[in-house]
Amino acid sequence: MDKERSGERMKLGAFFHPTGNHVAAWLHPDAQIDAGTNFRHYAEITQTAERGKFDLMFVADAVATRDGKLEALSRWPQYMAYFDPLTLLPALAAVTTHIGLCATATTSYNEPYHIARKFASLDHISGGRAGWNVVTSSNVSEAFNFGRERHYEHDARYDRAIEFVEVVKGLWDSWDDDAFVRDRKSERYFDPVKLHYLNHKGKHFSVRGPLNVARPPQGHPALFQAGSSEIGREVAARFAGGVHTSARPCQRAGILPRPEGAHAKVRPSTGSAESNAGSQCDRRADP
């Protein structure tokens, strides 16, 4: 171990797949067979991770079902039916205290104002525990759900993503930390000098602002990025505090993460939370 890093601590994150990481996990007799749409299951495994001192839990997302032969897909239900993360995580915030709550949200088929508002709200509800995994959609069928006949080209997706994140971060700065005075005596709820209009006009987005949510407790919720292409690595270096990567070691992906950006993630099956708590640590991160 590098002597200069001997005092550092690894950050641990639990990656929860809806029906387990293994293709046949849901067939095990002790598995939570309806895991993708069972809130109590998510609450139990998140609380177990919190008791185990994990720093964060993470859920992936897509805005379409997987495409393929339905006969085959009917035997592999992973990511076919599961909760919207930004509906799920606020509910988990209410039954946890310390663990970070992170979710994927695509820049390809969302609008910056929506994402800024949702993650700011989650940050308030959780007391400053929200994290956004910034991705560009790779599932071509997502285009068909949003009025498009074809998917964005690879580099175009990332060009849009860069501007998207810049707009979101700007919207999070709509209000100063002390903007809301809430003073009954002076009949002043907020200081108008401390409200800022973004007035962004760019290649992909035109967003006036301001955000109609107070500045998040973290200022900016934690940002993660998933993608190992050359442009993906450039985007990660530009704004991400943590990187999900399938390359081993990280240097092979051209990424040298800061200590706080390195995560060892446990990927539990769909069995009971207590039995999954001792799952083998997989030191990879997903792309």
PDB file of all heavy atoms in Angstrom, residues 194-222:
ATOM      1  N   LYS A 194     -31.224  37.377  -2.888  1.00  0.00           N
ATOM      2  CA  LYS A 194     -30.542  36.094  -2.827  1.00  0.00           C
ATOM      3  C   LYS A 194     -31.211  35.014  -3.686  1.00  0.00           C
ATOM      4  O   LYS A 194     -30.981  33.826  -3.498  1.00  0.00           O
ATOM      5  CB  LYS A 194     -30.440  35.639  -1.368  1.00  0.00           C
ATOM      6  CG  LYS A 194     -29.599  36.626  -0.552  1.00  0.00           C
ATOM      7  CD  LYS A 194     -29.444  36.215   0.898  1.00  0.00           C
ATOM      8  CE  LYS A 194     -28.559  37.238   1.629  1.00  0.00           C
ATOM      9  NZ  LYS A 194     -28.353  36.865   3.049  1.00  0.00           N
ATOM     10  N   LEU A 195     -32.030  35.461  -4.619  1.00  0.00           N
ATOM     11  CA  LEU A 195     -32.633  34.574  -5.619  1.00  0.00           C
ATOM     12  C   LEU A 195     -32.010  34.897  -6.970  1.00  0.00           C
ATOM     13  O   LEU A 195     -31.946  36.067  -7.370  1.00  0.00           O
ATOM     14  CB  LEU A 195     -34.141  34.800  -5.674  1.00  0.00           C
ATOM     15  CG  LEU A 195     -34.905  34.097  -6.810  1.00  0.00           C
ATOM     16  CD1 LEU A 195     -34.757  32.584  -6.712  1.00  0.00           C
ATOM     17  CD2 LEU A 195     -36.380  34.493  -6.777  1.00  0.00           C
ATOM     18  N   HIS A 196     -31.555  33.869  -7.693  1.00  0.00           N
ATOM     19  CA  HIS A 196     -30.794  34.085  -8.922  1.00  0.00           C
ATOM     20  C   HIS A 196     -31.434  33.352 -10.095  1.00  0.00           C
ATOM     21  O   HIS A 196     -31.721  32.157 -10.009  1.00  0.00           O
ATOM     22  CB  HIS A 196     -29.358  33.611  -8.733  1.00  0.00           C
ATOM     23  CG  HIS A 196     -28.715  34.137  -7.494  1.00  0.00           C
ATOM     24  ND1 HIS A 196     -28.336  35.460  -7.349  1.00  0.00           N
ATOM     25  CD2 HIS A 196     -28.421  33.526  -6.305  1.00  0.00           C
ATOM     26  CE1 HIS A 196     -27.816  35.637  -6.146  1.00  0.00           C
ATOM     27  NE2 HIS A 196     -27.859  34.479  -5.497  1.00  0.00           N
ATOM     28  N   TYR A 197     -31.647  34.066 -11.184  1.00  0.00           N
ATOM     29  CA  TYR A 197     -32.151  33.484 -12.424  1.00  0.00           C
ATOM     30  C   TYR A 197     -30.975  32.939 -13.227  1.00  0.00           C
ATOM     31  O   TYR A 197     -29.949  33.618 -13.375  1.00  0.00           O
ATOM     32  CB  TYR A 197     -32.915  34.526 -13.231  1.00  0.00           C
ATOM     33  CG  TYR A 197     -34.264  34.878 -12.639  1.00  0.00           C
ATOM     34  CD1 TYR A 197     -34.359  35.729 -11.541  1.00  0.00           C
ATOM     35  CD2 TYR A 197     -35.426  34.350 -13.170  1.00  0.00           C
ATOM     36  CE1 TYR A 197     -35.595  36.049 -10.985  1.00  0.00           C
ATOM     37  CE2 TYR A 197     -36.676  34.658 -12.628  1.00  0.00           C
ATOM     38  CZ  TYR A 197     -36.738  35.506 -11.537  1.00  0.00           C
ATOM     39  OH  TYR A 197     -37.955  35.808 -10.984  1.00  0.00           O
ATOM     40  N   LEU A 198     -31.126  31.744 -13.767  1.00  0.00           N
ATOM     41  CA  LEU A 198     -30.040  31.125 -14.517  1.00  0.00           C
ATOM     42  C   LEU A 198     -29.897  31.740 -15.915  1.00  0.00           C
ATOM     43  O   LEU A 198     -28.784  32.030 -16.367  1.00  0.00           O
ATOM     44  CB  LEU A 198     -30.276  29.615 -14.627  1.00  0.00           C
ATOM     45  CG  LEU A 198     -29.208  28.811 -15.344  1.00  0.00           C
ATOM     46  CD1 LEU A 198     -27.872  28.923 -14.619  1.00  0.00           C
ATOM     47  CD2 LEU A 198     -29.628  27.338 -15.451  1.00  0.00           C
ATOM     48  N   ASN A 199     -31.025  31.897 -16.606  1.00  0.00           N
ATOM     49  CA  ASN A 199     -31.026  32.471 -17.961  1.00  0.00           C
ATOM     50  C   ASN A 199     -30.040  31.761 -18.880  1.00  0.00           C
ATOM     51  O   ASN A 199     -29.224  32.391 -19.571  1.00  0.00           O
ATOM     52  CB  ASN A 199     -30.725  33.977 -17.908  1.00  0.00           C
ATOM     53  CG  ASN A 199     -31.858  34.761 -17.278  1.00  0.00           C
ATOM     54  OD1 ASN A 199     -33.031  34.483 -17.536  1.00  0.00           O
ATOM     55  ND2 ASN A 199     -31.526  35.727 -16.425  1.00  0.00           N
ATOM     56  N   HIS A 200     -30.122  30.429 -18.890  1.00  0.00           N
ATOM     57  CA  HIS A 200     -29.220  29.632 -19.744  1.00  0.00           C
ATOM     58  C   HIS A 200     -29.815  29.486 -21.142  1.00  0.00           C
ATOM     59  O   HIS A 200     -30.977  29.122 -21.311  1.00  0.00           O
ATOM     60  CB  HIS A 200     -29.018  28.239 -19.138  1.00  0.00           C
ATOM     61  CG  HIS A 200     -28.250  27.314 -20.035  1.00  0.00           C
ATOM     62  ND1 HIS A 200     -26.875  27.247 -20.014  1.00  0.00           N
ATOM     63  CD2 HIS A 200     -28.660  26.426 -20.993  1.00  0.00           C
ATOM     64  CE1 HIS A 200     -26.472  26.361 -20.906  1.00  0.00           C
ATOM     65  NE2 HIS A 200     -27.532  25.857 -21.522  1.00  0.00           N
ATOM     66  N   LYS A 201     -29.002  29.746 -22.149  1.00  0.00           N
ATOM     67  CA  LYS A 201     -29.378  29.495 -23.542  1.00  0.00           C
ATOM     68  C   LYS A 201     -28.193  28.810 -24.209  1.00  0.00           C
ATOM     69  O   LYS A 201     -27.146  29.436 -24.421  1.00  0.00           O
ATOM     70  CB  LYS A 201     -29.741  30.793 -24.270  1.00  0.00           C
ATOM     71  CG  LYS A 201     -31.041  31.421 -23.776  1.00  0.00           C
ATOM     72  CD  LYS A 201     -31.447  32.602 -24.630  1.00  0.00           C
ATOM     73  CE  LYS A 201     -32.740  33.239 -24.128  1.00  0.00           C
ATOM     74  NZ  LYS A 201     -33.879  32.314 -24.222  1.00  0.00           N
ATOM     75  N   GLY A 202     -28.350  27.527 -24.515  1.00  0.00           N
ATOM     76  CA  GLY A 202     -27.257  26.768 -25.083  1.00  0.00           C
ATOM     77  C   GLY A 202     -27.676  25.999 -26.312  1.00  0.00           C
ATOM     78  O   GLY A 202     -28.749  26.214 -26.881  1.00  0.00           O
ATOM     79  N   LYS A 203     -26.823  25.078 -26.722  1.00  0.00           N
ATOM     80  CA  LYS A 203     -27.063  24.286 -27.928  1.00  0.00           C
ATOM     81  C   LYS A 203     -28.267  23.371 -27.761  1.00  0.00           C
ATOM     82  O   LYS A 203     -29.059  23.182 -28.696  1.00  0.00           O
ATOM     83  CB  LYS A 203     -25.813  23.471 -28.245  1.00  0.00           C
ATOM     84  CG  LYS A 203     -25.945  22.562 -29.453  1.00  0.00           C
ATOM     85  CD  LYS A 203     -24.647  21.809 -29.696  1.00  0.00           C
ATOM     86  CE  LYS A 203     -24.769  20.860 -30.887  1.00  0.00           C
ATOM     87  NZ  LYS A 203     -23.513  20.099 -31.113  1.00  0.00           N
ATOM     88  N   HIS A 204     -28.421  22.797 -26.578  1.00  0.00           N
ATOM     89  CA  HIS A 204     -29.463  21.800 -26.359  1.00  0.00           C
ATOM     90  C   HIS A 204     -30.604  22.297 -25.470  1.00  0.00           C
ATOM     91  O   HIS A 204     -31.715  21.777 -25.569  1.00  0.00           O
ATOM     92  CB  HIS A 204     -28.858  20.550 -25.721  1.00  0.00           C
ATOM     93  CG  HIS A 204     -27.801  19.894 -26.546  1.00  0.00           C
ATOM     94  ND1 HIS A 204     -28.083  19.073 -27.609  1.00  0.00           N
ATOM     95  CD2 HIS A 204     -26.435  19.969 -26.469  1.00  0.00           C
ATOM     96  CE1 HIS A 204     -26.957  18.640 -28.145  1.00  0.00           C
ATOM     97  NE2 HIS A 204     -25.948  19.172 -27.484  1.00  0.00           N
ATOM     98  N   PHE A 205     -30.332  23.274 -24.611  1.00  0.00           N
ATOM     99  CA  PHE A 205     -31.331  23.666 -23.612  1.00  0.00           C
ATOM    100  C   PHE A 205     -31.429  25.179 -23.484  1.00  0.00           C
ATOM    101  O   PHE A 205     -30.449  25.902 -23.625  1.00  0.00           O
ATOM    102  CB  PHE A 205     -30.970  23.074 -22.239  1.00  0.00           C
ATOM    103  CG  PHE A 205     -30.810  21.579 -22.243  1.00  0.00           C
ATOM    104  CD1 PHE A 205     -29.546  21.008 -22.198  1.00  0.00           C
ATOM    105  CD2 PHE A 205     -31.928  20.748 -22.321  1.00  0.00           C
ATOM    106  CE1 PHE A 205     -29.390  19.628 -22.207  1.00  0.00           C
ATOM    107  CE2 PHE A 205     -31.774  19.369 -22.336  1.00  0.00           C
ATOM    108  CZ  PHE A 205     -30.515  18.811 -22.285  1.00  0.00           C
ATOM    109  N   SER A 206     -32.647  25.607 -23.192  1.00  0.00           N
ATOM    110  CA  SER A 206     -32.919  26.995 -22.846  1.00  0.00           C
ATOM    111  C   SER A 206     -33.718  26.972 -21.552  1.00  0.00           C
ATOM    112  O   SER A 206     -34.872  26.537 -21.531  1.00  0.00           O
ATOM    113  CB  SER A 206     -33.706  27.685 -23.967  1.00  0.00           C
ATOM    114  OG  SER A 206     -34.011  29.016 -23.616  1.00  0.00           O
ATOM    115  N   VAL A 207     -33.096  27.409 -20.470  1.00  0.00           N
ATOM    116  CA  VAL A 207     -33.691  27.287 -19.132  1.00  0.00           C
ATOM    117  C   VAL A 207     -33.525  28.612 -18.398  1.00  0.00           C
ATOM    118  O   VAL A 207     -32.400  29.027 -18.088  1.00  0.00           O
ATOM    119  CB  VAL A 207     -33.035  26.143 -18.325  1.00  0.00           C
ATOM    120  CG1 VAL A 207     -33.727  26.006 -16.964  1.00  0.00           C
ATOM    121  CG2 VAL A 207     -33.086  24.833 -19.099  1.00  0.00           C
ATOM    122  N   ARG A 208     -34.630  29.245 -18.097  1.00  0.00           N
ATOM    123  CA  ARG A 208     -34.555  30.511 -17.384  1.00  0.00           C
ATOM    124  C   ARG A 208     -34.263  30.316 -15.902  1.00  0.00           C
ATOM    125  O   ARG A 208     -33.439  31.012 -15.318  1.00  0.00           O
ATOM    126  CB  ARG A 208     -35.862  31.296 -17.560  1.00  0.00           C
ATOM    127  CG  ARG A 208     -35.790  32.729 -17.032  1.00  0.00           C
ATOM    128  CD  ARG A 208     -37.155  33.342 -16.842  1.00  0.00           C
ATOM    129  NE  ARG A 208     -37.850  32.770 -15.701  1.00  0.00           N
ATOM    130  CZ  ARG A 208     -38.942  33.322 -15.142  1.00  0.00           C
ATOM    131  NH1 ARG A 208     -39.443  34.431 -15.646  1.00  0.00           N
ATOM    132  NH2 ARG A 208     -39.532  32.750 -14.123  1.00  0.00           N
ATOM    133  N   GLY A 209     -34.981  29.369 -15.252  1.00  0.00           N
ATOM    134  CA  GLY A 209     -34.902  29.279 -13.809  1.00  0.00           C
ATOM    135  C   GLY A 209     -35.722  30.404 -13.182  1.00  0.00           C
ATOM    136  O   GLY A 209     -36.409  31.149 -13.894  1.00  0.00           O
ATOM    137  N   PRO A 210     -35.648  30.570 -11.884  1.00  0.00           N
ATOM    138  CA  PRO A 210     -34.876  29.779 -10.916  1.00  0.00           C
ATOM    139  C   PRO A 210     -35.591  28.486 -10.531  1.00  0.00           C
ATOM    140  O   PRO A 210     -36.751  28.271 -10.892  1.00  0.00           O
ATOM    141  CB  PRO A 210     -34.786  30.719  -9.716  1.00  0.00           C
ATOM    142  CG  PRO A 210     -36.077  31.491  -9.770  1.00  0.00           C
ATOM    143  CD  PRO A 210     -36.366  31.695 -11.235  1.00  0.00           C
ATOM    144  N   LEU A 211     -34.897  27.643  -9.808  1.00  0.00           N
ATOM    145  CA  LEU A 211     -35.485  26.407  -9.299  1.00  0.00           C
ATOM    146  C   LEU A 211     -36.459  26.729  -8.177  1.00  0.00           C
ATOM    147  O   LEU A 211     -36.176  27.579  -7.326  1.00  0.00           O
ATOM    148  CB  LEU A 211     -34.373  25.487  -8.781  1.00  0.00           C
ATOM    149  CG  LEU A 211     -34.761  24.027  -8.512  1.00  0.00           C
ATOM    150  CD1 LEU A 211     -35.143  23.335  -9.806  1.00  0.00           C
ATOM    151  CD2 LEU A 211     -33.609  23.289  -7.839  1.00  0.00           C
ATOM    152  N   ASN A 212     -37.582  26.037  -8.150  1.00  0.00           N
ATOM    153  CA  ASN A 212     -38.573  26.285  -7.098  1.00  0.00           C
ATOM    154  C   ASN A 212     -38.405  25.333  -5.916  1.00  0.00           C
ATOM    155  O   ASN A 212     -39.373  24.881  -5.302  1.00  0.00           O
ATOM    156  CB  ASN A 212     -39.999  26.202  -7.655  1.00  0.00           C
ATOM    157  CG  ASN A 212     -40.316  24.856  -8.286  1.00  0.00           C
ATOM    158  OD1 ASN A 212     -39.432  24.027  -8.505  1.00  0.00           O
ATOM    159  ND2 ASN A 212     -41.586  24.629  -8.570  1.00  0.00           N
ATOM    160  N   VAL A 213     -37.160  25.034  -5.600  1.00  0.00           N
ATOM    161  CA  VAL A 213     -36.783  24.284  -4.399  1.00  0.00           C
ATOM    162  C   VAL A 213     -35.606  25.018  -3.781  1.00  0.00           C
ATOM    163  O   VAL A 213     -34.716  25.487  -4.502  1.00  0.00           O
ATOM    164  CB  VAL A 213     -36.366  22.828  -4.727  1.00  0.00           C
ATOM    165  CG1 VAL A 213     -35.976  22.077  -3.455  1.00  0.00           C
ATOM    166  CG2 VAL A 213     -37.481  22.088  -5.445  1.00  0.00           C
ATOM    167  N   ALA A 214     -35.585  25.147  -2.473  1.00  0.00           N
ATOM    168  CA  ALA A 214     -34.476  25.810  -1.798  1.00  0.00           C
ATOM    169  C   ALA A 214     -33.162  25.088  -2.085  1.00  0.00           C
ATOM    170  O   ALA A 214     -33.154  23.911  -2.475  1.00  0.00           O
ATOM    171  CB  ALA A 214     -34.731  25.856  -0.286  1.00  0.00           C
ATOM    172  N   ARG A 215     -32.065  25.779  -1.912  1.00  0.00           N
ATOM    173  CA  ARG A 215     -30.751  25.196  -2.159  1.00  0.00           C
ATOM    174  C   ARG A 215     -30.603  23.895  -1.364  1.00  0.00           C
ATOM    175  O   ARG A 215     -30.911  23.833  -0.177  1.00  0.00           O
ATOM    176  CB  ARG A 215     -29.661  26.177  -1.751  1.00  0.00           C
ATOM    177  CG  ARG A 215     -28.234  25.694  -2.075  1.00  0.00           C
ATOM    178  CD  ARG A 215     -27.256  26.835  -1.884  1.00  0.00           C
ATOM    179  NE  ARG A 215     -25.883  26.375  -1.907  1.00  0.00           N
ATOM    180  CZ  ARG A 215     -25.183  26.151  -3.019  1.00  0.00           C
ATOM    181  NH1 ARG A 215     -25.755  26.333  -4.187  1.00  0.00           N
ATOM    182  NH2 ARG A 215     -23.931  25.759  -2.952  1.00  0.00           N
ATOM    183  N   PRO A 216     -30.156  22.802  -2.011  1.00  0.00           N
ATOM    184  CA  PRO A 216     -30.026  21.512  -1.318  1.00  0.00           C
ATOM    185  C   PRO A 216     -29.075  21.599  -0.130  1.00  0.00           C
ATOM    186  O   PRO A 216     -28.140  22.417  -0.132  1.00  0.00           O
ATOM    187  CB  PRO A 216     -29.462  20.583  -2.402  1.00  0.00           C
ATOM    188  CG  PRO A 216     -29.837  21.232  -3.696  1.00  0.00           C
ATOM    189  CD  PRO A 216     -29.803  22.712  -3.435  1.00  0.00           C
ATOM    190  N   PRO A 217     -29.282  20.792   0.906  1.00  0.00           N
ATOM    191  CA  PRO A 217     -28.389  20.796   2.065  1.00  0.00           C
ATOM    192  C   PRO A 217     -26.917  20.605   1.700  1.00  0.00           C
ATOM    193  O   PRO A 217     -26.034  21.198   2.321  1.00  0.00           O
ATOM    194  CB  PRO A 217     -28.897  19.635   2.911  1.00  0.00           C
ATOM    195  CG  PRO A 217     -30.347  19.530   2.555  1.00  0.00           C
ATOM    196  CD  PRO A 217     -30.430  19.883   1.099  1.00  0.00           C
ATOM    197  N   GLN A 218     -26.637  19.775   0.667  1.00  0.00           N
ATOM    198  CA  GLN A 218     -25.253  19.586   0.240  1.00  0.00           C
ATOM    199  C   GLN A 218     -24.766  20.699  -0.682  1.00  0.00           C
ATOM    200  O   GLN A 218     -23.598  20.709  -1.065  1.00  0.00           O
ATOM    201  CB  GLN A 218     -25.102  18.259  -0.514  1.00  0.00           C
ATOM    202  CG  GLN A 218     -25.366  17.016   0.309  1.00  0.00           C
ATOM    203  CD  GLN A 218     -25.125  15.768  -0.502  1.00  0.00           C
ATOM    204  OE1 GLN A 218     -23.997  15.298  -0.623  1.00  0.00           O
ATOM    205  NE2 GLN A 218     -26.199  15.206  -1.069  1.00  0.00           N
ATOM    206  N   GLY A 219     -25.649  21.627  -1.032  1.00  0.00           N
ATOM    207  CA  GLY A 219     -25.317  22.587  -2.069  1.00  0.00           C
ATOM    208  C   GLY A 219     -25.559  21.940  -3.416  1.00  0.00           C
ATOM    209  O   GLY A 219     -26.532  22.240  -4.102  1.00  0.00           O
ATOM    210  N   HIS A 220     -24.687  21.027  -3.790  1.00  0.00           N
ATOM    211  CA  HIS A 220     -24.858  20.181  -4.963  1.00  0.00           C
ATOM    212  C   HIS A 220     -24.860  18.736  -4.499  1.00  0.00           C
ATOM    213  O   HIS A 220     -23.863  18.272  -3.918  1.00  0.00           O
ATOM    214  CB  HIS A 220     -23.721  20.377  -5.966  1.00  0.00           C
ATOM    215  CG  HIS A 220     -23.708  21.711  -6.628  1.00  0.00           C
ATOM    216  ND1 HIS A 220     -22.729  22.088  -7.529  1.00  0.00           N
ATOM    217  CD2 HIS A 220     -24.565  22.766  -6.544  1.00  0.00           C
ATOM    218  CE1 HIS A 220     -22.980  23.311  -7.961  1.00  0.00           C
ATOM    219  NE2 HIS A 220     -24.084  23.755  -7.375  1.00  0.00           N
ATOM    220  N   PRO A 221     -25.950  17.980  -4.689  1.00  0.00           N
ATOM    221  CA  PRO A 221     -25.921  16.546  -4.381  1.00  0.00           C
ATOM    222  C   PRO A 221     -24.732  15.868  -5.055  1.00  0.00           C
ATOM    223  O   PRO A 221     -24.231  16.338  -6.090  1.00  0.00           O
ATOM    224  CB  PRO A 221     -27.254  16.049  -4.946  1.00  0.00           C
ATOM    225  CG  PRO A 221     -28.159  17.237  -4.821  1.00  0.00           C
ATOM    226  CD  PRO A 221     -27.280  18.419  -5.141  1.00  0.00           C
ATOM    227  N   ALA A 222     -24.274  14.765  -4.458  1.00  0.00           N
ATOM    228  CA  ALA A 222     -23.108  14.059  -4.981  1.00  0.00           C
ATOM    229  C   ALA A 222     -23.349  13.602  -6.411  1.00  0.00           C
ATOM    230  O   ALA A 222     -24.432  13.120  -6.750  1.00  0.00           O
ATOM    231  CB  ALA A 222     -22.794  12.856  -4.079  1.00  0.00           C
TER     232      ALA A 222
END
